[in-house]
Amino acid sequence: MERNYSIDYMKCFLMFLVVWYHAAPSAANVIGINRIYSHDFIPLVPRFAVSFFFVVSGFLFGRKVINIKDISSYTRKYLLKLIKLFVSWYIFYFAYDVINCIIQARSAGQDVTKQIMIYVYSQLKLIPIYYGDAQTSYQLWYLTALIWSVVILVIFIRLKKVTFLLTFSLLLNFIGLFGQTYSGLFHLPLQTRDALFYGLFYTTMGYYMAIHYKSMLKLLERFKLSDLFLLFLVVSFLAVIEEVVTIGFLNGDTEGENYLISTIPLTIILFGITIKKQNFGEKSFFTKIGKNSVGIYVSHTFFVSLLASTIKLIGYSPTQHYLFYHLISSLGIFVVSYYFYSFLQVVKKKFSFYLKPDKIVIKKETEWV
């Protein structure tokens, strides 16, 4: 399959938005422009990055399996890769959170063993398997949601009922709104930012776009890029209004700021803009970063937490509330996460190389020659 460079290019900037969101400062005890920035501006910026990533995953999965008669082999490899990624990083964050728990318990004069047991017990439940839920690794919910979404999608592919799944998952997405931003109208006592209510629809939509790729390109030919950008801005403005009404006036759940009705057209328009120019950014450094955006995604919350803990330890916590600190720290975390994950991949390859006996033999023979 020919690589779509514009997707990687877009993923780079959307990944920075994710880091920017997660590194957001608190609005508490802040006045002036810093309060406007943290209390008003950041919460109202439409959040469509994660939904875009779900669509991209479904789209690329679809483009890969569209000409494969038996997709079982590829699906197993794809899911195994996702599961390995989740498990390895979940263990990493689990160890990090235990260390944090020990440090905090000691500084507060609490029983260290008791606090560790409380945390460990909370993670022995089945919640992480479905929600990817943990203390510092809260972003890993995307991986578990994608895993379960692909499992459900493949079942319906085999049943040849993808159109039905798209419609049904859209209905679930609307229902899930009442567990998030629309909870002020009716509170659904469920965590709906998950596979069933959120990830499934966008992943299925991405797959649906893949199998109707040519028709979608023909449709996009009718629009200029400038028209699509203008439409994106208009819908973004409507998304802000939707947030003001649902979260501001109706007191909806603020944790679901990326879960809106307007997220659907925003994601579709943005994806349309992306695939309209397939080779855009082919030789750009941003495209290279976007290609490895998953590494930034899984590792960035470690650096967000580490930086916050360090700032608190040296006694400069108030600086975290300022606009320029947030912008600089977000960029720094983004860059460090990219190179940190790249470094881990190099170490992993070298470690894997030396663990294979056949590789070692080949190396020795080459040296003797």
Side-chain angles (χ1 to χ4, degrees), residues 23 65 75 79 105 139 160 190 203 230 239 251 260 329 340 367:
V65 304
T75 301
L79 290 175
Q139 87 285 13
K160 297 181 180 181
L190 292 172
T203 305
L230 180 60
N251 296 316
L260 302 161
S329 62
F340 175 71
E367 287 175 350

Side-chain angles (χ1 to χ4, degrees), residues 273-286:
I273 291 172
T274 304
I275 65 172
K276 188 173 174 65
K277 295 290 183 180
Q278 182 170 325
N279 294 319
F280 184 80
E282 180 177 352
K283 298 180 180 180
S284 172
F285 180 65
F286 296 122

Side-chain angles (χ1 to χ4, degrees), residues 268-366:
I268 293 173
I269 296 167
L270 187 62
F271 189 75
I273 291 172
T274 304
I275 65 172
K276 188 173 174 65
K277 295 290 183 180
Q278 182 170 325
N279 294 319
F280 184 80
E282 180 177 352
K283 298 180 180 180
S284 172
F285 180 65
F286 296 122
T287 301
K288 181 182 177 182
I289 295 175
K291 183 180 177 181
N292 298 292
S293 60
V294 65
I296 303 173
Y297 188 84
V298 295
S299 64
H300 76 277
T301 56
F302 167 67
F303 292 103
V304 170
S305 175
L306 197 63
L307 181 60
S309 299
T310 303
I311 292 294
K312 184 179 180 180
L313 183 65
I314 62 179
Y316 284 94
S317 296
T319 59
Q320 298 179 67
H321 305 310
Y322 291 99
L323 185 157
F324 289 109
Y325 170 85
H326 179 226
L327 294 176
I328 294 171
S329 62
S330 297
L331 181 60
I333 290 167
F334 180 81
V335 173
V336 171
S337 298
Y338 172 75
Y339 283 107
F340 175 71
Y341 189 80
S342 299
F343 170 74
L344 289 181
Q345 296 312 297
V346 172
V347 173
K348 178 184 174 183
K349 286 181 181 178
K350 288 187 176 181
F351 188 70
S352 299
F353 181 87
Y354 287 108
L355 281 180
K356 294 180 180 179
D358 57 323
K359 296 294 182 183
I360 298 175
V361 172
I362 292 172
K363 184 180 180 183
K364 287 182 178 180
E365 291 176 350
T366 304

